[in-house]
Amino acid sequence: MHKGRAVAAGLLVLAVTTGCKTITITPNGGLPPSTAPAPSMPGRADVLPAQTAHRELPRRAQATKAPRRTAKPVLAQGSRGPRVRELQARLAQLSLFRRKPTGFYGRQTAASVSAFQRKRGLLCTGTLDRATWHVLHSSTRPPTRAETHPHTKKTAKKPTRKPAKKRVPRPDARCMTGRVLCISKRSNTLTWMVDGKVRSTMDVRFGAQYTPTREGTFRIAFKSRSHVSSIYHTPMPYAMFFSGGQAVHYSPDFAAHGYQGASHGCVNVRHKPRIAALFQQVTPGDKVVIYK
């Protein structure tokens, strides 16, 4: 206490002798009472300055719903390859795919997959996801090579040679002279001959058991291009009458059903263009020979 007062007195003397401005020394260190800092109160927090950095409180993380993961398809429409063949073969084991495996995932395959999913209580999408494949794999056996690659019949190649013509038997001796419609019941053929030379040949059929075609030598009485039977009311195109109501004519029924049917005694011709050409060449009075 005495030592502090001595220091203050010394400083006062120094200030007077040097001409400096006189200051008052006080116990608070020489500062006026108005500028002295207020003593801090024990137990109280220091006062924050008026302007403080405004801190942003962290926002709570909003709870976001995790996106629902959909099963990735293993195979879908448009897929190709051996796995598609295996899928089709396994579905075929369950009678859900009724075609031969092709290796292409099309509408038919998608429909078969949907049918399997529906039957097993799976999500019906038509695409093969892992869940569907697992159930299908456990429900079937591994397909064989013959099941995934069935044998397909090869289409027959078109013959390079022309088909052999129907063998015409030796004509009756009555057909060797003049203009003759030479008709054989044994070979079911009509041969148009002029002076022993064959001009054209065509298939024919004859009457039934109770309406047989007469045999013998006849002459063409008359021709009728668009004739209709007055008895049976059926068309008889290119009719060439040779014995009463019996005639050589084109038959649509013969062309459609072949030898399963029969005529009412006429000579039916199957090939329309050939009899149309023959109709233009034959004239009334030409000979008709019908034999077995």
Side-chain angles (χ1 to χ4, degrees):
M1 186 75 174
H2 295 285
K3 187 176 180 179
R5 290 180 179 176
V7 173
L11 290 176
L12 179 59
V13 172
L14 180 61
V16 172
T17 59
T18 56
C20 293
K21 186 176 180 181
T22 305
I23 58 172
T24 306
I25 301 299
T26 61
N28 59 10
L31 296 177
S34 59
T35 59
S40 58
M41 297 296 292
R44 290 186 60 184
D46 296 339
V47 180
L48 293 176
Q51 295 181 353
T52 59
H54 189 71
R55 294 184 181 180
E56 207 173 63
L57 296 178
R59 297 180 180 178
R60 293 184 179 179
Q62 296 181 357
T64 56
K65 190 175 182 180
R68 183 180 180 182
R69 294 183 179 180
T70 57
K72 294 183 179 180
V74 178
L75 295 171
Q77 289 197 48
S79 300
R80 297 175 182 270
R83 297 189 68 184
V84 178
R85 283 184 177 271
E86 182 182 355
L87 167 65
Q88 293 169 338
R90 287 181 181 273
L91 290 171
Q93 294 177 17
L94 303 175
S95 300
L96 295 175
F97 189 79
R98 302 183 183 277
R99 297 183 179 182
K100 294 181 180 180
T102 60
F104 175 70
Y105 201 121
R107 293 183 179 179
Q108 183 66 32
T109 305
S112 300
V113 172
S114 295
F116 176 78
Q117 292 171 331
R118 190 180 306 109
K119 187 176 181 180
R120 296 306 174 97
L122 300 170
L123 185 63
C124 188
T125 61
T127 58
L128 183 70
D129 52 35
R130 295 187 182 278
T132 304
W133 176 245
H134 177 73
V135 177
L136 178 62
H137 191 273
S138 61
S139 303
T140 55
R141 55 173 175 76
T144 63
R145 171 76 180 181
E147 291 174 328
T148 56
H149 295 78
H151 178 70
T152 56
K153 295 181 179 180
K154 294 183 178 180
T155 56
K157 295 182 179 180
K158 294 183 179 180
T160 55
R161 297 180 180 179
K162 293 182 179 180
K165 294 183 179 180
K166 187 174 182 179
R167 186 176 179 272
V168 181
R170 185 178 180 84
D172 189 275
R174 293 170 290 179
C175 302
M176 302 307 294
T177 58
R179 297 160 59 88
V180 187
L181 293 175
C182 194
I183 302 172
S184 171
K185 285 187 174 182
R186 180 174 296 179
S187 63
N188 292 93
T189 57
L190 181 155
T191 304
W192 169 236
M193 302 182 65
V194 178
D195 296 331
K197 295 182 179 180
V198 177
R199 297 295 179 86
S200 63
T201 303
M202 56 202 76
D203 297 333
V204 293
R205 73 178 183 181
F206 306 98
Q209 179 180 0
Y210 298 104
T211 55
T213 302
R214 304 183 187 99
E215 298 173 10
T217 302
F218 310 92
R219 296 283 177 177
I220 296 296
F222 68 97
K223 302 192 304 180
S224 178
R225 167 66 178 77
S226 303
H227 193 80
V228 178
S229 173
S230 58
I231 300 175
Y232 303 105
H233 305 288
T234 55
M236 299 169 58
Y238 305 106
M240 295 173 282
F241 290 89
F242 60 86
S243 177
Q246 293 189 355
V248 177
H249 67 85
Y250 169 69
S251 171
D253 182 76
F254 183 27
H257 303 99
Y259 294 99
Q260 294 179 359
S263 70
H264 293 93
C266 291
V267 179
N268 291 161
V269 178
R270 173 160 50 188
H271 200 275
K272 190 174 183 179
R274 291 185 183 180
I275 192 172
L278 179 64
F279 186 84
Q280 297 296 329
Q281 301 175 49
V282 173
T283 58
D286 289 344
K287 189 164 48 174
V288 178
V289 177
I290 303 176
Y291 61 98
K292 288 184 179 178

